[in-house]
Amino acid sequence: MRKAIVAGASAVFLAAIASFAAGGAKMKITSSAFQEGGNIPSKFSCDGADTSPPLQIADVPSGAKSLLLIVDDPDAPSGLFTHWTAWNIPPQTSTIVEGSPPKGVQGANDFGKSGYGGPCPPSGTHRYYFKIFALDRELDLPSGAKRGQLDAAMKGHVIAQGELVGRYSRKK
């Protein structure tokens, strides 16, 4: 009986995750600078030029009205740490050039600045999630909006998403 309850709860949880992305619609986000699960080169971190890596976006659904980019670190000592947010990116965007923000609106990162802030873990190896979302509308948020505002505004408007994970540890 207990296994059946756990299995049922797990199925509901997985269904909720799948429905978050409109039936599991998937997009691709990749980088020519590092592979999925691979190491992010130091030039894209606080130890280097702290410039954003090149990103490629594919499989954007035809109904998308805008794209949204979030880069965060779930391994930060204080909990989830946001390194970059950008929204109202045109859905035709297939490339974000190294060192350049995408067309759209830049939000505040947890370094207290607008735009990209590269990996800078205090210790150990951290994972950095580059997430792309296709939305069914543009968001009415001002430049410099914080992550909580962004999360609230995008709720219920995600029609597809993709994710790229890179790792970084500082060389001391």
Side-chain angles (χ1 to χ4, degrees):
M1 176 72 171
R2 183 179 176 135
K3 283 185 179 180
I5 292 171
V6 170
S10 295
V12 169
F13 177 71
L14 292 173
I17 290 172
S19 69
F20 177 70
K26 296 288 181 198
M27 295 171 46
K28 290 181 185 165
I29 180 169
T30 58
S31 178
S32 58
F34 62 95
Q35 298 297 314
E36 168 65 32
N39 293 323
I40 298 170
S42 64
K43 76 185 268 187
F44 305 112
S45 76
C46 67
D47 295 322
D50 207 16
T51 187
S52 59
L55 299 171
Q56 295 78 43
I57 301 163
D59 300 334
V60 176
S62 61
K65 303 289 188 236
S66 70
L67 302 178
L68 180 150
L69 174 69
I70 297 174
V71 179
D72 56 30
D73 170 7
D75 301 320
S78 60
L80 189 66
F81 192 93
T82 301
H83 287 261
W84 196 13
T85 59
W87 59 92
N88 294 347
I89 301 167
Q92 304 82 6
T93 302
S94 61
T95 302
I96 299 174
V97 178
E98 178 179 322
S100 298
K103 289 183 181 173
V105 182
Q106 300 289 304
N109 60 39
D110 286 339
F111 292 111
K113 299 177 181 177
S114 183
Y116 178 81
C120 198
S123 64
T125 300
H126 285 217
R127 297 167 296 156
Y128 296 87
Y129 287 76
F130 291 74
K131 302 173 191 171
I132 192 74
F133 298 90
L135 305 180
D136 63 4
R137 68 180 200 131
E138 288 193 347
L139 300 180
D140 186 21
L141 287 174
S143 176
K146 296 186 186 248
R147 174 69 184 269
Q149 296 169 288
L150 185 58
D151 288 344
M154 68 188 270
K155 187 175 183 181
H157 296 286
V158 175
I159 58 175
Q161 65 186 53
E163 178 178 280
L164 168 66
V165 180
R167 299 177 184 280
Y168 187 75
S169 58
R170 299 186 74 187
K171 317 246 181 310
K172 295 188 179 182

